[in-house]
Amino acid sequence: MAYGDYQIDIYFNGLQGVQPDLPMAFAELERRAEAALAPSVWSYVAGGAGDEATQRENVAAFARWGLVPRMLVGAKARDLSVDLFGLQLPSPLLLAPIGVLGICAQDGHGDLATARASAATRVPMIASTLSADPLEQVADSLGETPGFFQLYTPTDRELAESLVHRAEAAGFKGIVVTLDTWITGWRPRDLSTGNFPQLRGHCLANYFTDPVFRSRLAQPPEANPGAAIVHWAGVFGNPLTWEDLPWLRSLTSLPIILKGLMHPEDVRQARDSGADGIYCSNHGGRQANGGLSSLDVLADVVDAADGAPVIFDSGVRSGADVIKALALGATAVALGRPYAYGLALGGEKGVTHVLRGMLAEADLIMAVDGYPTLDSLTREALRRIG
Ligand code: FNR
């Protein structure tokens, strides 16, 4: 079945008088998620750094590119499949790591609901270090769909090793090391309410279940959660340098993907340091304001990656955005806030709906605009319009 056929289901349901109960457009998804989430969770997820100019720029950058339609191509069947680190994936879409999925879901188990949606759609999940349920349970919920583990590298090297080895044992297919968040950026929305979810004990299951982390505590986290949180805050962020990469590389034979790379020189150095994949992202504008959009640096990052896979995120809000990032050279495109909003509205069903909608729109654009394969989607398919 083609991804675009999701619309056929919806129109036929309409004939039976059944209207979709989940939003079809991003603006409504966002509006309804705001109403569904607790105010503190909403502002944490929707907010970003500074006056959020970089965050808005991530979205605005997509509007500066237009796709050029080609006719008489006969794009009756589209092939969105992609090879990523030897994994044969049916589409180039991924679920970006989001560290508060647990509390975005109404039942408090959003990581598991997202993993089930990943299993249902075959869209791989990049599971955050910050989760409400331990990574082993997240991995179990992924079924046959491959997943990746995102590492926030702690300052305690043995703890970092333990997390990576647990991820490997649980069956994750790659380690995404996030480089841009060893310290939290200046986030006025959260600062104005003094709200930082992890300091309130949310989404720390991977630490609290970890034998190395537990061995560092005088009392187990169940007996003294306050002390465990304080210990977590002390070890969370490691300001890594290039000198740390050989150590990280030595921890696993899984592919290592470096997340947060925006400068071509960093991309080249990452390749030289043994990174298998490049993840072009500015963390959705949550970390440093006053920056470039992620899309504006993508082509340079792809060129510097010199054939290594490039994962892209930040600002993707539609299937058209997915297609534009692919045309600029991304190997795979990760979705962030939109699926967290789907999770808030409908749990597993909400995430599945957002993913199916995103894939349907991408597939239908390839059909209408005459680009039947991802190979046919090159920079030639785009014109700069602003
Ligand atoms: C994130 N992101 C993130 N990244 C990461 O590597 N580990 C994490 O735990 C988190 N946590 C997180 C929480 C929330 C609430 C958001 C919105 C984002 C960043 C994420 O992976 C991705 O880079 C951005 O979400 C992309 O921007 P958009 O498209 O969501 O605006």
Side-chain angles (χ1 to χ4, degrees):
M1 200 176 100
Y3 288 118
D5 291 350
Y6 190 35
Q7 69 174 356
I8 297 177
D9 292 355
I10 294 170
Y11 288 135
F12 272 81
N13 283 336
L15 286 178
Q16 318 290 323
V18 180
Q19 308 267 319
D21 54 1
L22 289 160
M24 301 306 308
F26 177 74
E28 192 196 346
L29 181 69
E30 192 177 38
R31 188 172 51 71
R32 282 178 52 188
E34 179 174 8
L37 287 167
S40 61
V41 180
W42 164 255
S43 63
Y44 184 79
V45 177
D51 70 359
E52 300 175 358
T54 302
Q55 184 173 327
R56 284 190 298 278
E57 190 56 18
N58 280 336
V59 173
F62 283 93
R64 293 196 287 266
W65 292 100
L67 282 156
V68 187
R70 303 300 304 268
M71 292 299 117
L72 296 168
V73 174
K76 187 169 182 295
R78 282 78 57 196
D79 181 0
L80 278 79
S81 67
V82 67
D83 177 319
L84 192 63
F85 308 114
L87 302 166
Q88 304 304 318
L89 304 176
S91 88
L93 198 62
L94 304 173
L95 290 150
I98 292 193
V100 284
L101 291 178
I103 55 173
C104 287
Q106 306 297 335
D107 69 355
H109 296 281
D111 305 282
L112 301 183
T114 301
R116 291 195 302 273
S118 165
T121 57
R122 299 181 64 202
V123 173
M125 173 180 183
I126 306 172
S128 172
T129 308
L130 299 168
S131 59
D133 289 287
L135 64 91
E136 289 80 3
Q137 287 182 33
V138 176
D140 280 351
S141 302
L142 291 172
E144 298 300 307
T145 302
F148 297 86
F149 180 71
Q150 177 266 326
L151 179 72
Y152 277 134
T153 313
T155 51
D156 181 338
R157 278 194 168 201
E158 283 178 32
L159 175 58
E161 289 179 32
S162 178
L163 289 167
V164 170
H165 291 152
R166 284 171 60 194
E168 202 165 26
F172 285 100
K173 303 295 185 211
I175 306 291
V176 172
V177 182
T178 300
L179 302 174
D180 58 16
T181 311
W182 55 271
I183 192 168
T184 308
W186 182 256
R187 298 180 187 166
R189 285 207 221 194
D190 297 328
L191 290 162
S192 61
T193 54
N195 172 50
F196 198 80
Q198 285 78 21
L199 286 177
R200 299 177 182 197
H202 293 298
C203 305
L204 298 178
N206 281 332
Y207 300 88
F208 288 8
T209 57
D210 190 274
V212 174
F213 184 87
R214 293 173 74 90
S215 75
R216 308 295 196 237
L217 305 173
Q219 289 174 293
E222 303 78 52
N224 190 347
I229 293 167
V230 169
H231 183 71
W232 169 80
V235 299
F236 170 75
N238 188 339
L240 296 172
T241 69
W242 293 109
E243 278 73 57
D244 293 303
L245 279 192
W247 161 71
L248 270 172
R249 178 67 281 177
S250 75
L251 298 184
T252 180
S253 55
L254 289 175
I256 288 194
I257 302 118
L258 298 183
K259 180 170 187 272
L261 297 178
M262 298 273 288
H263 194 295
E265 203 47 57
D266 290 351
V267 173
R268 279 187 280 273
Q269 200 161 351
R271 294 288 288 137
D272 292 345
S273 306
D276 303 280
I278 305 299
Y279 195 143
C280 176
S281 164
N282 64 16
H283 214 102
R286 300 169 65 75
Q287 280 297 89
N289 199 29
L292 288 163
S293 76
S294 192
L295 195 73
D296 277 332
V297 302
L298 175 59
D300 287 346
V301 164
V302 168
D303 290 344
D306 196 22
V310 174
I311 299 173
F312 170 86
D313 80 21
S314 296
V316 177
R317 299 291 177 264
S318 68
D321 295 346
V322 173
I323 295 294
K324 289 178 186 180
L326 292 169
L328 285 170
T331 316
V333 178
L335 194 61
R337 290 178 175 95
Y339 87 84
Y341 297 158
L343 179 64
L345 291 182
E348 173 192 342
K349 194 170 150 242
V351 178
T352 300
H353 167 75
V354 169
L355 294 174
R356 290 189 73 189
M358 203 68 60
L359 288 167
E361 191 190 358
D363 181 42
L364 292 169
I365 288 172
M366 289 170 71
V368 174
D369 281 353
Y371 296 99
T373 63
L374 299 188
D375 282 347
S376 65
L377 266 178
T378 65
R379 290 177 199 173
E380 281 302 301
L382 290 177
R383 294 290 177 275
R384 183 95 182 177
I385 51 180

